[in-house]
C-alpha cells in the first residue's frame, strides 16, 4: 500500500521530533558529561554555571538580598567564580575577558 | 564538596548513561507499549501526535525538570524533600501523600508485571507457537487462576527486591543499562518486521494519516494530555528520587527533562510501529486495549514466519519495560522508608516490597479490583501527587529561585525564564483540570460511585497524612532553609 504524502510527512515529523531529538539529546548529554569528567580529572574542579546562568544568578542575588536562600546562592556564585579563576579550561563558553570581569559577592 | 551542598554519604549514579537509562526505564512501562498505539489510532492518528508532541514539550518536559531538580537540590526522597523545603512537620504530610499514592500505584502495577513475566516465560517455552494454541483461552486460563496470578505477583516482587537490595549503582543501574537498550533494539526489530509484512503499511497509514478534524475535539486533547503527563511519569516521585542520587556535577535539564520525556515517548512511538503494522497485517481490532497485547498479538505469532523468536523478542521486551518501571516506582518507597526510619537498605527493601506485595494481593486476585484501583489512583491520586510536587517547586521553592540556583547549575542547556510561568501556572492548572475532568466525566456513569469514593479517599488522605506527619514527623534538619513564600 502506498502512503500519501501527508502520511509520510506526518510520520517523518514524528520521527524527527521524538526519536531524533531523543537520540541527539542522549549523544549530547553523554559527550558533555565525558568532557566534564575529563576536566574534573585534569583540574580537580569545573565551572558550574554558564555565562548566562551565572548572570541570572548574580541578578537574582542583587534582587533578593534577604531571601532565605541568598547565602546559598552567594556561595554557589563565588564557588563558580573561584573555579573559573583557578582552572585552565572552563567547561562552558567563557572568554578570558568575561572571567577577568567577574567579582566575588559578599557571603 | 562544598558546604552549600549538604550531602551525606548518599549513593550516586555510577555513570551518566546509567542515570539516563534508569530514568527512561522507570518511565517506559506498560502504558507505552499497549496504550500509546491504540490511543494514537483512536484519536485521529497524526492529529493526535501533533497535540501530543505540543503538550509533551510544553508541560511534561518542564515538569520533569522541576521534579528532578528538587530531588537533586534536597538530596532526599519524597518526604525529606517536602520537609527540607517546607520546614514544617505538618507539611511533610504532602510527601506522605505522594508516597502512599506511589505505593498504591505499584500495588496494582506489580501484578501487571507478573502478567508480562508469565507471557515472557511462555514465549521462551514457545507456548504461543504450539499447535492448537488458543490465545483467548490461554489468557482466561491465566487471569482466572488466582493462585497463578498471585504467584507471578510474588515472583515479581521478589525479583524487584532482589535487584533493589543491591542499591542504586550495583542494583538498578546495572540492570537498566542492559534492559533498556535491549528493549529499544527489540522494538526496532519488531517494527521492521511488522512494516515488511504484507498489509503492514496499512497500519502505518492508519496511525500517521492525520485527520485534522480531531484537533477540534476536546477528547483528543484530553487523551493527548493524559498520555503526555502520565506516560512520562511526572509526579510519581520517581524523578525526584532518582534526581536525589545525582552528583552536583550532573545535568538536570537534559537528562532529567528532555531525554526522559522525549526518550520515553520515542519508545511509545516505536511501540506504534511495532504493533500497528502487525495488527493490520493480521486483521486484528486496533482498539482492543490490553487485549491487544495479551490476546490479539499472541494469536499472531503462530502465523508469523519465525514466530517463536518474534514472540520472545516481543514479550521479553514488554517484561523489561514493566520491570524497569517497577524498579523506579518501588525505589521511591525504598529511599523514603530508609531515610525516614533509619532502616538499613536491605530492611527498607524488604519492608517496602513486603508492603507492596501485601497491598497488591487484592489486585492480583481480582482484575476487577485492579481496574477500580487504576480508576481511583490513576484519575485522582496521581494528579494529586503531581500537583503536590509541582506546588512544592512552583509555589514554595519558587520557580525563578529553582531555575537560577539549581536547574541551570552544571546544565548542558540553558533554561530561560519561560520555564517559570509554565511550572508556576500552566502545570498546576492542567493538573486541576485533569482532576476536574475525572470528576465531570464520571458523573452519570457506572463510575460515579467510584469517583465519589476516590475523591473522598484522596481528601481524607491529605488530611490524615498531614495529621500523622504533624505528630510523628521530624523537625527540619538544622541549617536547612525553609522558605517563607514563593519568590515571584
Amino acid at each position: 500500500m502506498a502512503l500519501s504524502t501527508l502520511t509520510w510527512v506526518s510520520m517523518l515529523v514524528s520521527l524527527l521530533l521524538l526519536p531524533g531529538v531523543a537520540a541527539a539529546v542522549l549523544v549530547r548529554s553523554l559527550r558533555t558529561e565525558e568532557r566534564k569528567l575529563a576536566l574534573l580529572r585534569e583540574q580537580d574542579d569545573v565551572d558550574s554555571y554558564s555565562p548566562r546562568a551565572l548572570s541570572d544568578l548574580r541578578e537574582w542575588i542583587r534582587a533578593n538580598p534577604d531571601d532565605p536562600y541568598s547565602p546559598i546562592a552567594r556561595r554557589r556564585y563565588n564557588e563558580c567564580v573561584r573555579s573559573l579563576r583557578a582552572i585552565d579550561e572552563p567547561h562552558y563558553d567563557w572568554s578570558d575577558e568575561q572571567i577577568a570581569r567577574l567579582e566575588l559577592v559578599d557571603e | 564538596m562544598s558546604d552549600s551542598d549538604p550531602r551525606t554519604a548518599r549513593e550516586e549514579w555510577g555513570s551518566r548513561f546509567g542515570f539516563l537509562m534508569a530514568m527512561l526505564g522507570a518511565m517506559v512501562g506498560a502504558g507505552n507499549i499497549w496504550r500509546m498505539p491504540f490511543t494514537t489510532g483512536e484519536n485521529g492518528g497524526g492529529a493526535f501526535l501533533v497535540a501530543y508532541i505540543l503538550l509533551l514539550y510544553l508541560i511534561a518536559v518542564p515538569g520533569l525538570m522541576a521534579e528532578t531538580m528538587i530531588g537533586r537540590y534536597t538530596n532526599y526522597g519524597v518526604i525529606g524533600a517536602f520537609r527540607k523545603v517546607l520546614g514544617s512537620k505538618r507539611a511533610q504530610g504532602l510527601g506522605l501523600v505522594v508516597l502512599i499514592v506511589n505505593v498504591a500505584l505499584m500495588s496494582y502495577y506489580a501484578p501487571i508485571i507478573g502478567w508480562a513475566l508469565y507471557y515472557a516465560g511462555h514465549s521462551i517455552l514457545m507456548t504461543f507457537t504450539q499447535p492448537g494454541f488458543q490465545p483467548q483461552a490461554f489468557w482466561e486460563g491465566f487471569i482466572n487462576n488466582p493462585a497463578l496470578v498471585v504467584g507471578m505477583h510474588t515472583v515479581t516482587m521478589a525479583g524487584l527486591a532482589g535487584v533493589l537490595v543491591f542499591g542504586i549503582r550495583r542494583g538498578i543501574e546495572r540492570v537498566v543499562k542492559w534492559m533498556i537498550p535491549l528493549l529499544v533494539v527489540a522494538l526496532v526489530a519488531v517494527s521492521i518486521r511488522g512494516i515488511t509484512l504484507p498489509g503492514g503499511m496499512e497500519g502505518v497509514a492508519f496511525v500517521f494519516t492525520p485527520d485534522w478534524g480531531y484537533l477540534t475535539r476536546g477528547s483528543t486533547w484530553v487523551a493527548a494530555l493524559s498520555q503526555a503527563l502520565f506516560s512520562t511519569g511526572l509526579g510519581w516521585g520517581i524523578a525526584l528520587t532518582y534526581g536525589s542520587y545525582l552528583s552536583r556535577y550532573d545535568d538536570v535539564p537534559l537528562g532529567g527533562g528532555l531525554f526522559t520525556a522525549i526518550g520515553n515517548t520515542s519508545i511509545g512511538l516505536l511501540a506504534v510501529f511495532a504493533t500497528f503494522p502487525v495488527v493490520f497485517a493480521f486483521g486484528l481490532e486496533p482498539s482492543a486495549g490490553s487485549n491487544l497485547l495479551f490476546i490479539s498479538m499472541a494469536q499472531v505469532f503462530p502465523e508469523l514466519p519465525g514466530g517463536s523468536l518474534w514472540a520472545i523478542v516481543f514479550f521479553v521486551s514488554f517484561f523489561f519495560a514493566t520491570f524497569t518501571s517497577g524498579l523506579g516506582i518501588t525505589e521511591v518507597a525504598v529511599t523514603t522508608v530508609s531515610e525516614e526510619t533509619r532502616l538499613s537498605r536491605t530492611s527498607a527493601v524488604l519492608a517496602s516490597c513486603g508492603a507492596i506485595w501485601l497491598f497488591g494481593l487484592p489486585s492480583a486476585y481480582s482484575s476487577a479490583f485492579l481496574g477500580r484501583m487504576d480508576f481511583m489512583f490513576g484519575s485522582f491520586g496521581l494528579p494529586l501527587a503531581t500537583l503536590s510536587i509541582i506546588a512544592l517547586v512552583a509555589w514554595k521553592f519558587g520557580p525563578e529561585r529553582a531555575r537560577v540556583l539549581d536547574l541551570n547549575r552544571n546544565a548542558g542547556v540553558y533554561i530561560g525564564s519561560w520555564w517559570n510561568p509554565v511550572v508556576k501556572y500552566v502545570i498546576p492548572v492542567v493538573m486541576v483540570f485533569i482532576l476536574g475532568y475525572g470528576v465531570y466525566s464520571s458523573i452519570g456513569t457506572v463510575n460515579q460511585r467510584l469517583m465519589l469514593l476516590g475523591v473522598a479517599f484522596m481528601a481524607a488522605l491529605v488530611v490524615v497524612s498531614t495529621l500523622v506527619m504533624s505528630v510523628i514527623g521530624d523537625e527540619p534538619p538544622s541549617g536547612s532553609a525553609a522558605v517563607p513564600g514563593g519568590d515571584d
Side-chain angles (χ1 to χ4, degrees):
Chain A
M1 180 195 176
L3 299 182
S4 69
T5 310
L6 195 59
T7 306
W8 275 110
V9 170
S10 173
M11 186 168 70
L12 291 175
V13 168
S14 304
L15 285 171
L16 284 175
L17 284 176
L18 293 171
V21 174
V25 169
L26 177 65
V27 170
R28 173 158 183 188
S29 184
L30 293 177
R31 279 193 180 163
T32 305
E33 205 60 19
E34 210 172 282
R35 180 160 182 272
K36 210 183 279 175
L37 282 173
L39 287 174
L40 268 172
R41 272 195 297 269
E42 283 167 27
Q43 307 176 149
D44 199 32
D45 205 355
V46 68
D47 48 321
S48 47
Y49 291 89
S50 68
R52 271 204 293 182
L54 197 69
S55 165
D56 281 354
L57 185 58
R58 188 171 52 237
E59 288 306 311
W60 186 85
I61 290 168
R62 275 188 194 146
N64 300 278
D66 302 323
D67 189 276
Y69 279 75
S70 194
I72 298 169
R74 289 196 198 100
R75 274 200 299 274
R76 288 191 173 187
Y77 183 88
N78 287 342
E79 192 183 271
C80 183
V81 174
R82 287 193 190 103
S83 295
L84 283 163
R85 288 174 179 172
I87 57 180
D88 299 324
E89 190 183 348
H91 174 66
Y92 293 104
D93 196 18
W94 287 95
S95 67
D96 291 341
E97 293 74 33
Q98 279 175 314
I99 296 171
R101 279 200 301 269
L102 288 173
E103 288 177 11
L104 296 172
V105 296
D106 292 336
E107 286 190 32
Chain B
M1 199 131 305
S2 74
D3 56 353
S4 64
D5 214 332
R7 284 171 193 280
T8 58
R10 193 177 176 80
E11 201 178 356
E12 289 180 355
W13 296 101
S15 68
R16 182 75 180 158
F17 186 69
F19 166 68
L20 294 175
M21 291 303 109
M23 285 288 277
L24 194 54
M27 306 313 176
V28 171
N32 295 69
I33 308 295
W34 67 265
R35 192 170 182 272
M36 174 107 176
F38 79 80
T39 308
T40 305
E42 281 177 344
N43 290 284
F48 171 82
L49 286 175
V50 169
Y52 174 70
I53 290 169
L54 268 176
L55 294 168
L56 180 80
Y57 282 90
L58 181 69
I59 296 169
V61 172
L64 273 174
M65 284 179 191
E67 190 178 334
T68 312
M69 169 264 144
I70 203 70
R72 182 177 74 164
Y73 181 80
T74 59
N75 266 175
Y76 283 108
V78 285
I79 291 180
F82 277 83
R83 177 171 60 238
K84 183 162 180 183
V85 175
L86 295 168
S88 85
K89 286 163 68 170
R90 249 184 328 180
Q92 296 168 37
L94 284 176
L96 185 60
V97 168
V98 175
L99 177 69
I100 290 170
V101 168
N102 184 281
V103 168
L105 290 164
M106 188 58 202
S107 76
Y108 68 83
Y109 193 64
I112 297 173
I113 304 174
W115 302 354
L117 178 61
Y118 185 74
Y119 269 66
H122 274 277
S123 71
I124 292 167
L125 295 172
M126 298 187 182
T127 305
F128 305 120
T129 48
Q130 280 171 3
F133 171 71
Q134 296 290 327
Q136 181 87 32
F138 182 79
W139 168 249
E140 284 173 4
F142 168 61
I143 206 71
N144 294 324
N145 184 339
L148 201 49
V149 182
V150 168
M152 296 315 294
H153 169 59
T154 307
V155 172
T156 297
M157 289 316 302
L160 289 170
V163 174
L164 290 171
V165 83
F166 286 102
I168 293 293
R169 197 181 289 203
R170 289 194 309 130
I172 297 174
E173 191 170 339
R174 197 181 276 180
V175 169
V176 296
K177 274 162 80 174
W178 288 100
M179 281 190 174
I180 296 303
L182 282 172
L183 166 69
V184 173
V185 169
L187 284 174
V188 169
V190 177
S191 303
I192 293 170
R193 184 70 192 98
I195 290 169
T196 53
L197 284 170
M201 289 308 270
E202 283 178 39
V204 176
F206 175 74
V207 173
F208 289 103
T209 303
D211 183 346
W212 301 119
Y214 276 85
L215 284 181
T216 59
R217 295 182 189 182
S219 60
T220 304
W221 288 91
V222 170
L225 192 59
S226 302
Q227 187 70 26
L229 284 174
F230 299 144
S231 76
T232 47
L234 178 62
W236 295 56
I238 302 169
L240 188 156
T241 303
Y242 276 4
S244 75
Y245 292 104
L246 275 173
S247 125
R248 61 180 280 209
Y249 295 109
D250 271 315
D251 165 273
V252 168
L254 271 180
L258 263 178
F259 178 74
T260 305
I262 300 170
N264 163 65
T265 308
S266 304
I267 292 182
L269 193 64
L270 270 179
V272 170
F273 272 111
T275 312
F276 268 71
V278 177
V279 165
F280 274 75
F282 286 88
L284 307 175
E285 175 53 50
S287 57
S290 57
N291 284 352
L292 181 67
L293 198 81
F294 291 111
I295 300 172
S296 305
M297 289 299 282
Q299 79 186 50
V300 163
F301 299 111
E303 299 174 47
L304 197 66
S308 302
L309 178 69
W310 290 111
I312 293 171
V313 170
F314 188 80
F315 283 116
V316 171
S317 62
F318 179 57
F319 168 68
F320 284 175
T322 56
F323 189 76
T324 50
S325 293
L327 287 175
I329 304 169
T330 311
E331 179 58 36
V332 174
V334 172
T335 293
T336 309
V337 168
S338 172
E339 277 172 5
E340 301 304 317
T341 63
R342 311 282 196 273
L343 283 174
S344 68
R345 178 154 185 108
T346 305
S347 304
V349 167
L350 291 175
S352 304
C353 291
I356 291 168
W357 173 80
L358 193 64
F359 296 139
L361 285 177
S363 295
Y365 185 78
S366 157
S367 48
F369 185 85
L370 188 153
R372 284 195 282 274
M373 287 288 284
D374 185 35
F375 177 78
M376 274 177 54
F377 284 92
S379 306
F380 308 107
L382 197 48
L384 179 65
T386 308
L387 199 55
S388 303
I389 289 179
I390 291 298
L392 183 71
V393 180
W395 297 337
K396 200 63 191 176
F397 199 92
E400 178 63 4
R401 186 192 284 129
R403 187 180 73 85
V404 302
L405 198 61
D406 204 74
L407 189 62
N408 276 330
R409 191 189 196 199
N410 290 302
V413 287
Y414 170 80
I415 302 299
S417 54
W418 59 266
W419 186 78
N420 302 347
V422 172
V423 172
K424 188 158 187 172
Y425 302 112
V426 179
I427 301 176
V429 165
V430 164
M431 297 324 297
V432 171
F433 168 75
I434 287 185
L435 275 168
Y437 187 81
V439 172
Y440 171 76
S441 60
S442 305
I443 294 172
T445 70
V446 287
N447 286 328
Q448 183 167 311
R449 277 184 60 191
L450 202 55
M451 174 271 286
L452 292 171
L453 184 65
V455 171
F457 183 83
M458 296 310 151
L461 185 61
V462 173
V463 173
V464 172
S465 298
T466 305
L467 288 174
V468 166
M469 291 313 288
S470 66
V471 174
I472 66 164
D474 287 336
E475 290 296 345
S478 60
S480 72
V483 195
D487 61 340
D488 56 355

